[in-house]
Amino acid sequence: MRAAPPPLAADPAALSRLLGTALDALREGAQARGGPLPAGGPEAVVTRVRDALGEPLPETGRGAAEALRTLVRVLAEGAADPAHPLCAAHLHTPPLALAAAADLAASALNPSLDSWDQAPAASALEAEVTAALAAEVFPDAAHPDALVTTGGTESNQLALLLARERHGSVRTLVGANAHHSFRRAAWLLGLPEPVTVPTPHGTMDPAALAEALARTEQGPVLVAATAGTTDEGLVDPLPAIAEVCAAHGAELHVDAAYGGPVLFSRTHRRLLDGLDRASTVTVDLHKLGWQPAAAGLLAVRDAADLAVLGHTADYLNADDDTEAGLPDLLGRSLRTTRRPDVLKTAVTLRALGRTGLGALVDTCMDLARDLADLVEKAPGLDLKDRPTLTTVLFRPTGATDETVAAIRRTLLAEGRAVLGRAKADGRLWLKATLLNPHTTPGDLAEILTLVEGSTHR
C-alpha cells in the first residue's frame, strides 16, 4: 500500500505542530550561537552545516520533525541575526513578529499573483495597498500607482525600463554615491553606460549635475538621485536636483530604497522634500519598514506609464476573460509566479498605522544620533559626520585603513559584533547601520568598547 503523503500547509493542525518545532529550533540555535554572528569564520560555519545536513538528497528521509528541527537549528546557530543589537552592518532589518506571522500565512495559502484565479483576494489586497502607498509618495498626482518588487535592484531596473519605453535609448545620469544596480540595469537593458555626477560632500552636487546635463548629447535623459545612500545614509538635495532637471528637460527618478519610509515620520519627512517631483521612486519596506525580505516597491507618478508592461498569455489572461472582468495581473510585474508579499505589509500598516511606523523610524534615527554623541565623546575615535538617517561612520583615531579592516574582520571571526565598512573622504570607516528599535544605550556603548578593545590588540 502506498504511504500517505505528508500533510499540506493548508492543514492548520499539522502546520501548528511543525511551527512549534521550528520555533523551538530557532530558540535553540540562537542560544547556541550566543551572539550576533557565529564564531569561527566561514570554515567553522561550513563544517557545522555539513555535519548537520549530512547527505543533501538521502535515499530515505528522516521525517518532517527531525528535518525541520535539525536544519532550522543549524541555520539559526549560523545566522547573522539582525535582531541582535550588535548586528549593525547592513540595511538588513530585524522583521516585526506580526510581519513574519503574516508571511507564514502567505506561504501557507501560496497565492500566485500572475492570474486572478490563483489569487482573488491577494490581487485585490495588492491593488488597494499599492495605491495607498503610491499616494503617500505622490500626494498631488492624479493617478499614481506602485508595483511590488523584490527590492531596490529590481525597482531601479524597472524605472530605467519604463524610461526607455517612454523615450527610447535614454541616457542615465547618476551620482558617484548611487547604488550599483543602475549600472547593471543599464547593461541589462542595452542602455549607454550611466554618466557619473560628482558628489563632493557625499551627495549629488546640483551645479555639477547642471554642467553634466549641458554636456550630455541631445536625447532623453533620466537623472537618478538617491534618498539614503548605502554607505553614509545621505539624502541628495532633491528640490534643487528637481529644479535642474526641469530646466534641462530631464526626467527624475529617486532611489529611496533606504530613506523612503521616512515619509511615515512627521518629525523627519522634511528630509524627503522634493521626492514627489520625481517620475518614479524606489522604496524598500524591508529596510526602514521592518518587513521580512522581500518588500520592495516602485512608485510611479502616472499609472499610465505601466501600460508598457502589459503582456498576454492565453492561459493566464485571455482577452475574453479580461473583457468579462477578470483582473489582468501580468502587467504588474516582469515576473510570472509571484508570492503575495503585500500581505505582510498590509498587516503591518493596519496594525501600526502611519504613526506607529513613524515612531519606529524616529527611534532608529535617535539611536544613530546617540551613537554619534558617544563617538564624539570618545577620545580614541573619530566621527565622519553627524548622521542624516540611521548610519554612523567612525574609526579609531590615527588608525590605518588596514587596521580598520582588520578590526572589523576580527569582530566577525569572534562572532562578537557585525559592523560594515565604507570608503569616504579617501579613508576606510567602520559603519553602524541602526535599524533595531530595541537597541539600548548600553548596546551602543558596547559596540564602541568592542572596537576600542580590538584597536589595542
Side-chain angles (χ1 to χ4, degrees):
M1 180 179 294
R2 181 177 297 174
L8 301 176
D11 179 346
L15 185 59
S16 179
R17 288 193 299 272
L18 291 171
L19 182 57
T21 299
L23 293 175
D24 287 343
L26 284 171
R27 182 168 49 252
E28 293 167 4
Q31 289 172 348
R33 178 178 7 96
L37 194 77
E43 290 185 5
V45 172
V46 168
T47 297
R48 283 194 290 269
V49 170
R50 285 177 174 168
D51 288 347
L53 180 61
E55 175 58 48
L57 183 59
E59 188 64 32
T60 303
R62 299 191 181 184
E66 190 280 339
L68 189 63
R69 181 174 57 252
T70 299
L71 296 185
V72 170
R73 187 187 188 285
V74 77
L75 189 69
E77 182 178 356
D81 182 5
H84 195 290
L86 303 186
C87 187
H90 301 287
L91 290 164
H92 180 198
T93 242
L96 297 172
L98 82 162
D103 213 27
L104 172 65
S107 294
L109 292 167
N110 205 31
S112 180
L113 281 103
D114 49 319
S115 67
W116 183 86
D117 58 355
Q118 298 176 83
S123 60
L125 185 67
E126 182 178 89
E128 295 295 321
V129 173
T130 52
L133 291 172
E136 189 74 15
V137 176
F138 297 114
D140 298 325
H143 302 290
D145 201 353
L147 301 182
V148 175
T149 71
T150 55
T153 294
E154 183 186 350
S155 295
N156 289 337
Q157 181 181 338
L158 275 170
L160 265 64
L161 172 63
L162 294 176
R164 187 193 72 179
E165 294 305 296
R166 284 194 297 273
H167 303 297
S169 186
V170 65
R171 192 65 184 261
T172 308
L173 273 66
V174 302
N177 60 358
H179 194 261
H180 64 83
S181 58
F182 288 106
R183 297 192 181 281
R184 178 172 288 186
W187 168 68
L188 284 170
L189 296 170
L191 296 174
E193 176 81 6
V195 174
T196 300
V197 178
T199 55
H201 303 292
T203 56
M204 186 183 288
D205 180 10
L209 173 62
E211 292 175 7
L213 286 169
R215 292 194 306 268
T216 300
E217 297 178 3
Q218 282 193 337
V221 173
L222 178 72
V223 172
T226 305
T229 59
T230 304
D231 279 347
E232 299 185 65
L234 302 178
V235 178
D236 286 340
L238 301 179
I241 289 171
E243 288 295 325
V244 172
C245 289
H248 289 267
E251 284 198 9
L252 176 62
H253 167 71
V254 179
D255 178 3
Y258 179 7
V262 174
L263 286 172
F264 298 128
S265 167
R266 296 191 186 280
T267 304
H268 298 292
R269 64 177 296 148
R270 58 182 175 73
L271 290 170
L272 300 182
D273 286 351
L275 185 72
D276 59 345
R277 297 182 64 180
S279 297
T280 51
V281 174
T282 290
V283 178
D284 275 2
L285 293 172
H286 54 241
K287 295 184 172 70
L288 280 174
W290 296 277
Q291 301 297 291
L297 291 169
L298 177 69
V300 298
R301 167 173 289 281
D302 187 351
D305 289 344
L306 300 176
V308 297
L309 300 178
H311 184 71
T312 300
D314 196 59
Y315 75 105
L316 295 173
N317 61 346
D319 289 342
D320 58 319
D321 278 349
T322 303
E323 291 167 3
L326 296 185
D328 178 359
L329 305 183
L330 280 188
R332 302 294 300 175
S333 177
L334 294 180
R335 294 170 283 150
T336 302
T337 301
R338 191 161 60 85
R339 63 189 310 273
D341 287 316
V342 74
L343 175 61
K344 59 201 174 194
T345 298
V347 168
T348 301
L349 295 175
R350 182 178 176 87
L352 301 183
R354 183 185 288 104
T355 300
L357 278 168
L360 292 179
V361 171
D362 292 347
T363 295
C364 290
M365 294 181 73
D366 288 344
L367 285 168
R369 284 150 182 72
D370 291 344
L371 180 59
D373 290 343
L374 291 175
V375 173
E376 286 183 323
K377 294 174 184 176
L381 296 173
D382 294 337
L383 179 70
K384 168 65 174 64
D385 279 311
R386 299 294 301 179
T388 300
L389 296 178
T390 69
T391 299
V392 179
L393 299 190
F394 64 101
R395 56 181 282 136
T397 303
T400 65
D401 285 357
E402 290 75 15
T403 298
V404 172
I407 290 170
R408 175 179 174 272
R409 287 193 293 269
T410 296
L411 294 175
L412 291 177
E414 295 175 350
R416 303 177 74 186
V418 188
L419 295 173
R421 53 185 286 162
K423 278 278 190 180
D425 291 346
R427 293 189 291 172
L428 184 65
W429 299 80
L430 295 170
K431 175 174 71 170
T433 309
L434 300 169
L435 297 177
N436 186 343
H438 291 278
T439 299
T440 67
D443 297 323
L444 300 177
E446 187 174 356
I447 289 174
L448 301 189
T449 297
L450 289 170
V451 169
E452 290 173 320
S454 299
T455 303
H456 302 300
R457 290 187 184 182

